[in-house]
Amino acid sequence: MTSTPPVLEISGLNVNYGLGAKAVHAVRDIDLTLHRGEVLGLAGESGSGKSTLAYAVTRLLPPPGVITGGEVRYHPRTGQPIDILDLDPEGLRAFRWSEISLVFQGAMNSLNPVHTVRSQLTDVLKAHRPDLTGAQRQDRAAELLALVGISADRLGSYPHQLSGGMRQRVMIAMALALDPEIVILDEPTTALDVVMQRQILKQLVRLRNELDFSVVFITHDISLLIEFSDRIAIMYGGRVVEEAAAREIYRTAHHPYSHGLLHSFPALHGPRRELTGIPGSPPDLTAMPSGCAFHPRCPKAFEPCAQRVPTLGPVPADDGRTVACWLHADH
Ligand code: ATP
Ligand code: SF4
């Protein structure tokens, strides 16, 4: 999958909440590439910066969030790459939904309770596709529902008449309404039971195969990513600390934090792992530990760890994997 060309290249991205000495540095020097047609999983404990990264990339960062540096290059199918961070409000309006769409955390509860599914789907189309007639919008709304496995006779339903899983599917249908090249899903299924989560993700991967978009899937549950993503990037304290093919991470996680995450969730398939979890708590971003931010919790910490920040770099003899850990610091 990584042999396909990039569709989104994030480089040197930094995001703060607030300004000056009290700013919280939530995303730190992120370099990450999404390839065309792939499902990239983003994992990490709560507070590791996953949502902040998604909001920054889509320019939906709420105040006091500020992008303090970096580039987010989008590669259209034809033409020159665009730096999303340079788009003006008009350019952004044209860009969002049609090129990149985001399903927010808890989005299934953000459907408007007093509007039917039909009107919520057709409203998106009305706002962005003025060329469509009313009848074409209705047809497209039915088509979108069918894509996510909901029968068209649900178009007249209100959100409270749908199950949680159906509401989530409607949100995914809305995200797909304008045929975007990239869909970012931020913990889209945490409020659902595990069986429902898997069904929705399976369907998403099928849709990706049919419609040829790329996905960034964000969750703290790495076992879901192992099953459904092509590549996984693991975040800790605002940084990516390991990135590799999902099967490689499953086989051996190189970063001690990735190893801990893998042993924090029961595997959905394959041999059972002992669930040891990770001792301690995620770092306080206002008082980050020196050196490697994971060192106070790391069972393998040694001499350089508390002094110097390890950078993300390739691991010798490991195909395409990058790790930020002094244990693998040949780079
Ligand atoms: P979760 O899985 O809980 O959503 P996450 O990995 O997505 O976590 P973020 O929500 O991106 O993490 O938060 C990253 C850090 O930024 C957290 O430490 C959080 O406290 C901080 N943060 C988020 N929003 C704000 C805000 N509005 N003001 C100040 N700090 C914030
Ligand atoms: Fe552990 Fe050191 Fe690697 Fe950080 S750099 S994960 S403290 S071994």
Side-chain angles (χ1 to χ4, degrees):
M1 213 24 105
T2 46
S3 56
T4 58
V7 63
L8 195 71
E9 277 182 293
I10 302 169
S11 44
L13 188 66
N14 280 279
V15 181
N16 283 359
Y17 286 102
L19 299 168
K22 291 208 166 144
V24 174
H25 196 171
V27 158
R28 297 167 182 242
D29 303 322
I30 298 256
D31 294 326
L32 198 57
T33 299
L34 173 68
H35 295 265
R36 203 166 273 288
E38 82 174 346
V39 178
L40 172 67
L42 208 53
E45 291 167 301
S46 183
S48 56
K50 307 180 298 296
S51 302
T52 303
L53 178 63
Y55 288 129
V57 162
T58 47
R59 297 271 308 273
L60 287 166
L61 199 60
V66 193
I67 297 170
T68 56
E71 283 185 352
V72 181
R73 271 186 311 281
Y74 169 70
H75 295 259
R77 282 185 192 263
T78 54
Q80 292 302 309
I82 298 163
D83 187 345
I84 300 175
L85 304 188
D86 285 343
L87 287 173
D88 60 19
E90 192 49 38
L92 260 182
R93 223 182 68 80
F95 183 79
R96 250 190 241 128
W97 293 87
S98 57
E99 308 294 329
I100 189 165
S101 64
L102 174 65
V103 178
F104 296 95
Q105 225 174 75
M108 66 190 222
N109 299 320
S110 67
L111 284 167
N112 191 323
V114 298
H115 288 154
T116 61
V117 169
R118 176 187 288 105
S119 78
Q120 302 196 49
L121 283 170
T122 52
D123 276 357
V124 175
L125 295 167
K126 208 186 276 179
H128 293 267
R129 292 285 309 273
D131 55 308
L132 296 182
T133 64
Q136 285 171 325
R137 285 199 293 268
Q138 301 274 343
D139 288 350
R140 176 71 177 146
E143 186 184 51
L144 286 165
L145 271 199
L147 275 180
V148 294
I150 301 180
S151 124
D153 59 17
R154 288 300 198 144
L155 276 171
S157 300
Y158 289 88
H160 73 269
Q161 295 171 315
L162 304 177
S163 67
M166 280 175 146
R167 290 204 299 275
Q168 194 52 272
R169 284 168 205 263
V170 171
M171 292 310 299
I172 293 172
M174 284 172 78
L176 297 176
L178 302 177
D179 285 325
E181 294 287 350
I182 302 169
V183 181
I184 301 181
L185 299 115
D186 184 5
E187 300 261 17
T189 56
T190 30
L192 306 173
D193 66 60
V194 177
V195 176
M196 185 63 73
Q197 289 185 28
R198 289 194 63 233
Q199 273 178 11
I200 290 186
L201 287 173
K202 226 171 168 170
Q203 191 164 38
L204 189 75
V205 171
R206 187 178 54 72
L207 285 173
R208 181 279 306 259
N209 296 341
E210 274 172 32
L211 304 176
D212 192 26
F213 53 83
S214 314
V215 178
V216 179
F217 187 78
I218 299 174
T219 178
H220 63 284
D221 184 346
I222 195 170
S223 57
L224 277 173
L225 296 184
I226 297 281
E227 186 170 4
F228 292 104
S229 53
D230 301 304
R231 253 173 350 111
I232 297 179
I234 294 174
M235 288 185 70
Y236 188 77
R239 293 182 192 275
V240 171
V241 294
E242 182 159 10
E243 192 203 324
R247 64 179 177 279
E248 294 298 329
I249 296 249
Y250 179 69
R251 207 166 51 85
T252 34
H254 280 23
H255 196 285
Y257 176 65
S258 315
H259 186 270
L261 264 193
L262 267 178
H263 289 81
S264 299
F265 294 93
L268 297 175
H269 294 294
R272 285 182 183 211
R273 284 189 292 262
E274 193 192 346
L275 295 185
T276 46
I278 308 171
S281 319
D284 172 359
L285 297 187
T286 59
M288 282 290 266
S290 59
C292 169
F294 188 55
H295 86 260
R297 304 170 74 187
C298 181
K300 301 221 163 143
F302 63 117
E303 181 269 322
C305 302
Q307 268 81 51
R308 289 180 291 145
V309 179
T311 53
L312 191 67
V315 174
D318 236 315
D319 186 18
R321 184 194 298 250
T322 52
V323 181
C325 171
W326 289 118
L327 291 171
H328 306 278
D330 286 8
H331 57 274

